[in-house]
Amino acid sequence: MGNVAMRNEGWPKRVRRGSESARVSETARDGRRCRALWRAVRFYAEGFRGMGPLGRTLWTVVLVKLFVMFAVLKLFFFPDFLAGKDDAQRAMHVLEELTERRN
């Protein structure tokens, strides 16, 4: 019997949800997530650092195209219809746009 008690000492204990040990384990879990995120960031940073000139040029082209698509085109093709209106006017405009039938 004494051996059974000694074998169980090293096993993980069940922790009640609101206890101090549960909070510590949640904090440790958040720390592992943060470490994993930083490992991923370092992985990609090292990959970009070690990339050749052709790869860097292609990634620069991709990033410039994304900037043009999302920043510049939004300014010219997607006007803000709700600017300068109070809450009631905004609500009425949204209601009309959602319920108006377009054929």
Side-chain angles (χ1 to χ4, degrees), residues 4 7-9 11 13 20-21 26 30 37 40 42 44 47-48 50 56 58 68 71-72 75 83 90 92 98 100-101:
V4 174
R7 272 189 276 152
N8 289 338
E9 285 181 14
W11 290 13
K13 299 176 184 174
E20 181 67 30
S21 299
E26 289 172 8
D30 291 341
L37 178 67
R42 276 188 303 201
Y44 284 106
F48 287 127
R56 287 184 185 176
L58 292 175
V68 168
V72 175
L75 294 174
R90 288 181 186 188
M92 187 56 69
L98 290 175
E100 182 179 300
R101 181 151 196 165

Side-chain angles (χ1 to χ4, degrees), residues 5-102:
M6 289 179 65
R7 272 189 276 152
N8 289 338
E9 285 181 14
W11 290 13
K13 299 176 184 174
R14 286 194 154 174
V15 179
R16 288 189 348 194
R17 187 168 278 232
S19 69
E20 181 67 30
S21 299
R23 284 190 286 272
V24 170
S25 65
E26 289 172 8
T27 304
R29 192 176 320 127
D30 291 341
R32 284 191 300 263
R33 285 184 191 151
C34 187
R35 266 197 316 260
L37 178 67
W38 278 113
R39 286 179 64 195
V41 167
R42 276 188 303 201
F43 173 77
Y44 284 106
E46 289 174 12
F48 287 127
R49 220 176 282 130
M51 192 178 297
L54 178 63
R56 287 184 185 176
T57 303
L58 292 175
W59 272 107
T60 304
V61 169
V62 167
L63 293 175
V64 168
K65 285 176 75 173
L66 286 173
F67 175 76
V68 168
M69 283 177 17
F70 289 109
V72 175
L73 292 179
K74 183 188 181 308
L75 294 174
F76 295 113
F77 294 109
F78 302 107
D80 188 10
F81 294 110
L82 301 178
K85 296 183 180 181
D86 64 359
D87 288 341
Q89 292 172 334
R90 288 181 186 188
M92 187 56 69
H93 179 77
V94 170
L95 179 66
E96 289 172 359
E97 289 296 317
L98 290 175
T99 57
E100 182 179 300
R101 181 151 196 165
R102 297 178 192 222

